Amino acid sequence: MTNYTYIAPCHFGIEKTLSFEVKKIGGENITVTDGRVTFTGGADLCAKANICLSTAERVCVLLGQFRAKTFDELFEGIRALPLSDFIGRYEAFPNRGHSLNSTLKSIPACQKIIKKAMAVNLCHAYGVQTMPETGAVAQIRFSIMKDEVTLMLDASGTGLHKRGYRRESNAAPIKETLAAGLIDLARVRENDVIVDPFCGSGTLLIEAGLKALNIAPGLYRSFAAERLGFIPDKTWQAARQQAAEEIKRDAQFRAYGYDIDGECVSLTLSNARKASPLLKISAEKRDIRDFVKPADNIKLITNPPYGERMLETGEARELYRVMGERLLPLDGSQLYVITPDEEFEDIFGQKADKNRKLYNGMMMCRLYSFFR
């Protein structure tokens, strides 16, 4: 069986969470670095990773790594790679990427050299003069870091955060992959009761439901590598069948969402129905000032509005103060709040038992966890 090396980028701060997911689906030789997890496995792992990983932004197949300080070295390095193992006779192979702290700084120039070298490589492999590029798209991604070139094939295509359920959203939704990371950090289980007093479009509640019922986030969507020839169709079919069989249909999970905006409530309910009819998620229009916990020993997980996102900083902090009044004492429940406001604990009125640095896009945030 052919083994491949895979690279899965993720939000900064949830690398260990992603590495646990990779281990769970059978990934080997797992390496964690800032913003990415690298692992190895067979062709079946490509399918499983795309279908099952909830915190990865995408899954890429490593094509090769080498050092290059000149365009000649870049060209020769690309020309020596076994590209025809992954890219077919008629497939297109556009490329995109970045360069940091490297001698080769011009991205357009690097793209041009990489494209030319790949064409020479593939023409030689297939014994032709030109590559027509009339077939499926094999999107190539490259990075040049400190003169170290990494060439990858994007096996996902559209980012893995695009689950398919959130065709509509409110003004500032949290990304699905980051939401899944928060759910993992909150250790949501199949019989938990989850509450979000600022539910927005329902992303946290839905990701909690998918995790609790073990519904693979990519079960109902397609991926770029399915249109390429190096992974058989039966491999994808087997991975989907296994994922479907592992759904916990008898889970007692329940979730409740509240929001001051009635449109957000409607979005939450609509998106939950699209995500899965198995999810037991309800939502109501309710101001945080009127919040009442619906049950004992719940997990409150929320992404409240904040200054740089939807409200002025003063308005956001007033919400944090009200949150403290309505949510404390927790009386056996747990609370997880993500916010960029470093003064959240002081305003809320209780020091977190734990806080973790995360990035919501380029914005540094903290996940404040309260267990008492």
Side-chain angles (χ1 to χ4, degrees):
M1 180 179 71
T2 302
N3 247 30
Y4 301 102
T5 297
Y6 299 101
I7 297 175
C10 64
H11 284 272
F12 288 101
I14 59 173
E15 295 91 347
K16 289 185 179 179
T17 301
L18 174 56
S19 70
F20 178 80
E21 284 194 286
V22 169
K23 184 177 180 180
K24 186 177 178 181
I25 63 170
E28 299 178 339
N29 303 311
I30 300 170
T31 302
V32 176
T33 54
D34 288 344
R36 66 169 51 181
V37 174
T38 303
F39 54 100
T40 63
D44 62 320
L45 196 61
C46 183
K48 288 180 181 179
N50 277 290
I51 292 168
C52 298
L53 295 181
S54 67
T55 56
E57 293 302 300
R58 62 184 64 254
V59 176
C60 297
V61 183
L62 179 65
L63 301 180
Q65 289 180 305
F66 55 90
R67 290 188 64 78
K69 289 188 175 182
T70 68
F71 287 123
D72 284 343
E73 290 175 340
L74 178 62
F75 184 92
E76 293 302 326
I78 297 295
R79 194 171 70 165
L81 298 178
L83 301 182
S84 60
D85 290 349
F86 305 91
I87 301 172
R89 168 72 176 81
Y90 296 97
E91 289 162 3
F93 44 96
N95 71 81
R96 64 179 66 173
H98 62 270
S99 175
L100 293 173
N101 302 320
S102 298
T103 306
L104 300 176
K105 294 181 173 62
S106 171
I107 299 304
C110 289
Q111 287 179 296
K112 184 176 180 180
I113 294 297
I114 289 171
K115 181 72 174 185
K116 182 177 180 180
M118 289 186 68
V120 170
N121 179 313
L122 292 167
C123 283
H124 176 76
Y126 290 112
V128 296
Q129 294 297 313
T130 60
M131 295 291 291
E133 297 192 67
T134 55
V137 175
Q139 178 65 58
I140 302 300
R141 294 180 179 269
F142 69 88
S143 70
I144 308 176
M145 301 283 288
K146 297 180 179 179
D147 300 321
E148 183 75 18
V149 179
T150 300
L151 196 74
M152 300 166 285
L153 171 64
D154 184 346
S156 300
T158 302
L160 295 183
H161 69 284
K162 296 286 189 180
R163 319 289 206 212
Y165 65 76
R166 201 170 73 179
R167 296 183 179 87
E168 301 174 281
S169 65
N170 62 325
I174 189 171
K175 205 171 182 181
E176 294 91 330
T177 43
L178 178 57
L182 303 189
I183 298 307
D184 269 338
L185 292 170
R187 300 189 178 187
V188 170
R189 299 293 184 262
E190 60 187 280
N191 297 325
D192 280 341
V193 177
I194 306 300
V195 176
D196 184 354
F198 302 97
C199 65
S201 56
T203 307
L204 282 166
L205 299 176
I206 293 168
E207 292 299 323
L210 296 178
K211 184 68 63 174
L213 275 66
N214 199 36
I215 299 174
L219 184 57
Y220 303 112
R221 55 159 289 185
S222 62
F223 305 96
E226 293 186 76
R227 297 182 286 277
L228 306 177
F230 72 99
I231 298 178
D233 289 344
K234 64 180 181 181
T235 301
W236 293 94
Q237 294 165 3
R240 285 195 171 87
Q241 182 176 344
Q242 181 181 352
E245 291 172 352
E246 292 177 352
I247 294 174
K248 298 177 180 178
R249 299 178 183 274
D250 58 349
Q252 298 302 304
F253 167 86
R254 289 172 292 146
Y256 301 90
Y258 304 96
D259 204 286
I260 194 173
D261 186 343
E263 180 62 25
C264 287
V265 171
S266 298
L267 283 173
T268 292
L269 295 174
S270 174
N271 290 340
R273 286 191 295 268
K274 292 172 185 173
S276 173
L278 297 176
L279 299 183
K280 298 174 183 176
I281 295 176
S282 62
E284 298 178 12
K285 182 178 178 180
R286 186 180 298 179
D287 193 304
I288 185 63
R289 294 169 179 81
D290 302 317
F291 180 81
V292 178
K293 286 191 291 185
D296 294 330
N297 300 322
I298 63 175
K299 289 183 177 178
L300 294 124
I301 308 174
T302 193
N303 175 34
Y306 44 77
E308 296 179 50
R309 190 167 74 99
M310 292 176 67
L311 302 178
E312 295 295 330
T313 301
E315 295 177 293
R317 290 182 170 177
E318 173 61 16
L319 279 185
Y320 300 159
R321 185 189 64 77
V322 175
M323 285 174 64
E325 292 179 352
R326 302 308 301 171
L327 303 183
L328 296 176
L330 290 173
D331 294 330
S333 294
Q334 297 176 17
L335 170 65
Y336 302 85
V337 181
I338 183 172
T339 174
D341 197 326
E342 296 281 353
E343 297 184 30
F344 174 79
E345 292 167 297
D346 292 336
I347 302 165
F348 180 65
Q350 182 170 310
K351 184 173 177 59
D353 295 289
K354 186 176 182 180
N355 77 73
R356 176 189 291 261
K357 185 187 294 185
L358 299 170
Y359 279 82
N360 188 358
M362 298 303 294
M363 184 182 297
M364 197 278 282
C365 298
R366 290 190 182 274
L367 176 65
Y368 293 99
S369 303
F370 302 84
F371 307 130
R372 52 187 170 82

